[in-house]
Amino acid sequence: MKSHILSELQEAHRTLDAFMSDDSQIAAIEQAAQLMGQALQTGHKIISCGNGGSMSDAMHFAEELTGRFRDNRRPLPAVAVSDPAYLTCTANDYGYEDVFARFVEGMGQPGDVLLAISTSGNSPNVLRAVEAAHRRGMKVVGLTGKGGGAMADRCDVEIRAPHSRYSDRAQEIHIKVIHILILLIEKMAAE
């Protein structure tokens, strides 16, 4: 059992090292933080979405901004598309492919930012949310993995976890990126 534990930790370490050594990804995190921070400074909000574990990450991102991360500060406007009644109602009436897009169409405003999370970059409902965000005049930050999928060319800023066999490695990178984004946004909010 110990060998499995160490093997998993070593693989996670290698994935993080690969991500950290890619200067384009570090620059993308900085660009995403600037985009989000500026949106919040000008009275706009951030909407986040994803499926499964990525939904949990989207919720975590939004609650840290509206609540607090490390230091006391004013609440920042962010919301995750995660209400079960909304999701099941919309999925029942329009199909699961439209659950995030309809929320963005109803709540998104020009100047807002969508944080779209998909470890494959190919989740149909996340892709539709990206399209809806652009139609609403919003900017899109995408957290992807593998080859970036169809989201790669559709985001204003794409942050891509290194390719790995399973989505959990991408999710591990995503949560680290999310925490860094929140930290940087908080620093901008304090200025």
Side-chain angles (χ1 to χ4, degrees):
M1 189 175 286
K2 181 179 178 181
S3 65
H4 291 296
I5 294 168
L6 290 173
S7 175
E8 286 299 306
L9 290 171
Q10 290 164 349
E11 183 181 354
H13 188 271
R14 285 190 301 272
T15 304
L16 180 57
D17 279 347
F19 183 75
M20 289 173 28
S21 67
D22 186 343
D23 289 339
S24 67
Q25 295 307 312
I26 305 307
I29 294 170
E30 184 178 359
Q31 187 180 2
Q34 289 285 338
L35 190 75
M36 292 173 163
Q38 289 169 355
L40 295 171
Q41 287 175 335
T42 57
H44 300 289
K45 66 184 166 299
I46 303 172
I47 298 172
S48 55
C49 68
N51 294 294
S54 295
M55 176 182 278
S56 296
D57 288 345
M59 293 167 62
H60 182 66
F61 176 79
E63 58 87 6
E64 293 283 17
L65 289 177
T66 56
R68 76 177 272 236
F69 182 53
R70 293 185 176 169
D71 298 314
N72 288 330
R73 49 131 173 98
R74 68 180 175 87
L76 301 170
V79 61
V81 187
S82 59
D83 180 285
Y86 165 78
L87 291 170
T88 56
C89 167
T90 305
N92 184 61
D93 293 345
Y94 295 96
Y96 192 65
E97 308 80 30
D98 288 319
V99 293
F100 300 139
R102 288 192 62 81
F103 189 94
V104 169
E105 289 168 358
M107 299 293 287
Q109 298 294 320
D112 290 347
V113 177
L114 174 67
L115 175 61
I117 309 172
S118 172
T119 59
S120 69
N122 289 317
S123 301
N125 55 0
V126 177
L127 288 168
R128 287 192 185 187
V130 169
E131 293 165 4
H134 285 305
R135 284 194 305 271
R136 297 290 299 156
M138 298 170 62
K139 297 291 185 185
V140 176
V141 173
L143 296 182
T144 67
K146 298 186 179 179
M151 274 178 57
D153 296 329
R154 298 179 188 178
C155 298
D156 296 286
V157 180
E158 180 209 8
I159 303 167
R160 185 184 306 173
H163 182 73
S164 58
R165 284 180 31 192
Y166 302 107
S167 64
D168 57 323
R169 293 291 170 246
Q171 290 171 329
E172 290 166 0
I173 297 298
H174 288 177
I175 196 62
K176 286 171 179 31
V177 169
I178 284 167
H179 285 154
I180 293 166
L181 288 172
I182 295 164
L183 178 69
L184 296 173
I185 290 166
E186 280 192 345
K187 288 186 180 301
M188 289 180 71
E191 294 174 354

